[in-house]
Amino acid sequence: MPILNDDPRPWEVKVAVALLDFQGRLERRMASRLAEHGITLAQFDMLLTLCHGDGVTQQDLAERLLVTKANIVGLIDRAGAAGLVERRPDPEDRRVNRIHVTPAGRKLAGKVRPGQDELIREIFGHLSEAELRQLHALLGRLIAACPRDE
Amino acid sequence: MPILNDDPRPWEVKVAVALLDFQGRLERRMASRLAEHGITLAQFDMLLTLCHGDGVTQQDLAERLLVTKANIVGLIDRAGAAGLVERRPDPEDRRVNRIHVTPAGRKLAGKVRPGQDELIREIFGHLSEAELRQLHALLGRLIAACPRDE
DNA sequence: TATTGTTATACTCTATAACTATA
DNA sequence: TATAGTTATAGAGTATAACAATA
């Protein structure tokens, strides 16, 4: 029984703490599984994003992954060194790189994704579908209440 | 409307994505507020932990914060350089350091905490108490389903 | 021998600013 | 001028291993 009845903290704080706690656990578990395949969460995110929108510019990619254009360089460098993605010059605008998943990257994503889904189902499967819908609705309202830009 | 009705992903995955999304936003907002006071989330966590359990060993502190004993050194170094915490040798065991919050650290924690609580209430206040209780219960079950050790 | 803390090393991610080459 | 990408720099967190002092 992790929470005592006379816990004096307001519900808002208790929920926030629980949420941060759970997210830390989830992320750790996901990262640990990904590490077995030699990639990080950030790189897996990039891979998934590219599998859906191959050939985007670095700028676009940075925006989708919510990192700066300076930091996407290193992410692409590392994933590129691992042979997962590659830069191709845009023929129409010589300032632009188009980022593509390599066959190896696609293969790795396909190999890794089932494990991630399995993990998610293993954990979230403890809730009924009705509860998952509830949780999803509540999270949607929290997301709306928490814009990224301050 | 962020989620379409014909979204083909299973509810488990949708909830996981929403949860990771929201947590990223929340953490960013919290970190941003803390940055105004010159501290990071990790340092705030350490400060809070020490405010409740002053004088713990580095080993203990590392375990509570879920970092290794090697990495707690750097955390304490940085917070120590900022004058927030200090090492005091244990008189009975000359191997151990006892970590204490300085008056400045306690003062900073007191100054920072209201802002964090306010932020949490601003966001979670969009839910009713009944909904917060629901959410808390669901998170509790997810936490139980997601042990830290693999 | 075991434990506490330290150092060393290396990698990932983040944030900012200045720079280049194109447009 | 504005934009796409790069480089440089700095800080923060993480992980592992080897080490010194002490128990």
Side-chain angles (χ1 to χ4, degrees):
Chain A
M1 74 197 69
I3 304 296
L4 299 169
N5 277 340
D6 59 354
D7 185 337
R9 292 174 303 175
W11 281 102
E12 289 91 340
V13 175
K14 290 203 283 190
V15 169
V17 169
L19 199 129
L20 260 17
D21 181 2
F22 174 63
Q23 184 279 339
R25 291 160 184 259
L26 181 59
E27 196 167 292
R28 186 174 280 257
R29 293 282 297 268
M30 295 180 87
S32 152
R33 285 223 181 176
L34 291 177
E36 295 168 9
H37 299 276
I39 58 172
T40 63
L41 260 174
Q43 287 181 357
F44 183 58
D45 268 358
M46 181 165 69
L47 227 45
L48 283 191
T49 301
L50 287 177
C51 283
H52 279 276
D54 203 54
V56 297
T57 67
Q58 296 194 188
Q59 196 79 275
D60 282 348
L61 190 53
E63 279 163 22
R64 293 192 200 188
L65 299 176
L66 300 164
V67 301
T68 64
K69 65 174 180 171
N71 288 331
I72 200 69
V73 174
L75 270 172
I76 295 171
D77 283 349
R78 288 186 288 274
L84 304 175
V85 305
E86 64 183 13
R87 292 175 168 93
R88 293 187 208 153
D90 184 314
E92 295 184 354
D93 186 337
R94 291 171 59 197
R95 291 172 304 180
V96 171
N97 287 329
R98 299 280 169 183
I99 310 303
H100 294 266
V101 201
T102 64
R106 218 171 271 277
K107 189 177 163 190
L108 182 64
K111 208 171 76 181
V112 166
R113 198 162 180 177
Q116 290 297 102
D117 285 3
E118 184 201 26
L119 177 61
I120 287 174
R121 286 184 199 192
E122 172 195 323
I123 293 164
F124 289 88
H126 285 75
L127 303 186
S128 71
E129 181 173 323
E131 288 168 331
L132 287 172
R133 283 172 183 268
Q134 257 182 7
L135 186 48
H136 191 257
L138 293 176
L139 287 170
R141 283 166 59 198
L142 289 175
I143 287 172
C146 191
R148 286 197 184 277
D149 38 55
E150 208 74 7
Chain B
M1 74 199 68
I3 303 297
L4 299 169
N5 277 340
D6 59 355
D7 185 337
R9 294 172 302 177
W11 281 103
E12 288 91 341
V13 175
K14 290 202 284 190
V15 169
V17 169
L19 198 129
L20 260 17
D21 181 2
F22 173 64
Q23 183 279 338
R25 291 161 184 259
L26 181 59
E27 196 166 292
R28 187 174 280 257
R29 294 282 297 268
M30 296 180 86
S32 152
R33 286 223 179 177
L34 291 177
E36 295 167 8
H37 299 277
I39 58 171
T40 62
L41 261 173
Q43 287 180 358
F44 183 58
D45 268 358
M46 180 165 70
L47 227 45
L48 283 190
T49 301
L50 287 177
C51 282
H52 280 276
D54 202 54
V56 297
T57 68
Q58 297 194 187
Q59 196 81 274
D60 282 347
L61 191 53
E63 279 164 21
R64 294 192 200 189
L65 298 177
L66 300 164
V67 302
T68 64
K69 64 174 181 170
N71 289 330
I72 199 69
V73 174
L75 266 173
I76 295 171
D77 283 350
R78 289 187 288 271
L84 304 175
V85 305
E86 64 182 12
R87 293 175 169 92
R88 294 188 206 152
D90 185 315
E92 295 183 354
D93 186 338
R94 291 171 59 195
R95 291 172 304 179
V96 327
N97 288 329
R98 298 282 170 181
I99 311 302
H100 294 265
V101 201
T102 64
R106 217 173 270 277
K107 189 179 163 192
L108 182 65
K111 207 171 76 180
V112 166
R113 198 160 181 180
Q116 292 296 103
D117 285 2
E118 184 200 25
L119 177 62
I120 287 174
R121 286 185 199 192
E122 172 194 325
I123 292 164
F124 289 88
H126 285 75
L127 303 187
S128 70
E129 180 171 324
E131 288 167 331
L132 287 171
R133 283 171 184 270
Q134 253 181 8
L135 186 48
H136 191 258
L138 293 176
L139 286 171
R141 283 166 57 198
L142 289 175
I143 287 172
C146 191
R148 286 198 185 276
D149 37 57
E150 209 76 7

